[in-house]
Amino acid sequence: MIELIRVVEEGETEETGAERALHDAIAYWTMYATEHRLPAYRPRIKAGVRKGLAAGLTPPDAYLALAWVLADDDSMVAAAQVLQRGVVVHPGNARMLHRLGWTLRTSGRAAEAVAPLQRAVAIQPNLVEAQHELAQALAASNRVQEAEAAYRATVALDPLHQPGAW
């Protein structure tokens, strides 16, 4: 496991308490999600985010980080609950709506996934991952014509990087 070190600029005040715990957790989540998907990071991420949220800090990445590691721990119900709380605080966050839709669909709740995914696509039409996830949720909900239209929209947005849409 890599230990991240905080660098403080001269004259800058170092964070402490819940704010530091939250920012460290988000940094570890970024590392976990992009570089080193080691399970050892998950407890640190969960503890830091929970401490920050309990202190009233609510950045969108806090909800995304906690839900991501909960999903990786096979706690999809808890992940969906975190994202649902996050969407209340950040209703216009397309990434969070997309992740909520993904969480619901992959936990067998495809019909429930459609609404947040439609909102994500409406907010950020070029978020190809949300468009593709919407197509999958519609297909899993037996909404075939709508699914076909969403798959076609996915291919139109990015024909190379979403091969599942073909």
Side-chain angles (χ1 to χ4, degrees), residues 7-165:
V7 176
V8 180
E9 299 283 330
E10 187 175 329
E12 187 179 14
T13 305
E14 188 167 348
E15 297 172 332
T16 59
E19 189 173 36
R20 172 141 186 194
L22 178 62
H23 289 156
D24 286 352
I26 291 171
Y28 276 103
W29 169 63
T30 302
M31 173 85 73
Y32 174 79
T34 61
E35 302 291 330
H36 301 103
R37 202 171 201 91
L38 300 175
Y41 290 124
R42 294 199 302 250
R44 177 176 273 176
I45 295 166
K46 286 189 283 190
V49 170
R50 285 179 172 144
K51 185 174 184 177
L53 290 174
L57 304 172
T58 61
D61 281 349
Y63 297 99
L64 287 164
L66 182 55
W68 189 302
V69 296
L70 287 169
D72 283 358
D73 282 343
D74 288 329
S75 188
M76 299 300 274
V77 171
Q81 290 170 342
V82 166
L83 290 165
Q84 287 164 335
R85 286 194 312 267
V87 167
V88 169
V89 178
H90 302 282
N93 189 297
R95 287 179 38 220
M96 198 174 314
L97 288 161
H98 164 245
R99 191 67 182 184
L100 173 58
W102 175 87
T103 303
L104 292 169
R105 185 190 62 80
T106 57
S107 63
R109 298 161 60 189
E112 291 177 62
V114 172
L117 290 165
Q118 287 173 328
R119 285 178 44 207
V121 169
I123 292 165
Q124 196 170 347
N126 292 327
L127 184 58
V128 68
E129 296 86 358
Q131 182 68 52
H132 189 211
E133 191 62 42
L134 174 59
Q136 292 177 18
L138 289 165
S141 300
N142 293 319
R143 293 167 66 172
V144 178
Q145 290 179 330
E146 293 170 278
E148 181 181 349
Y151 279 123
R152 289 182 184 279
T154 301
V155 171
L157 283 171
D158 188 356
L160 297 176
H161 298 104
Q162 297 297 326

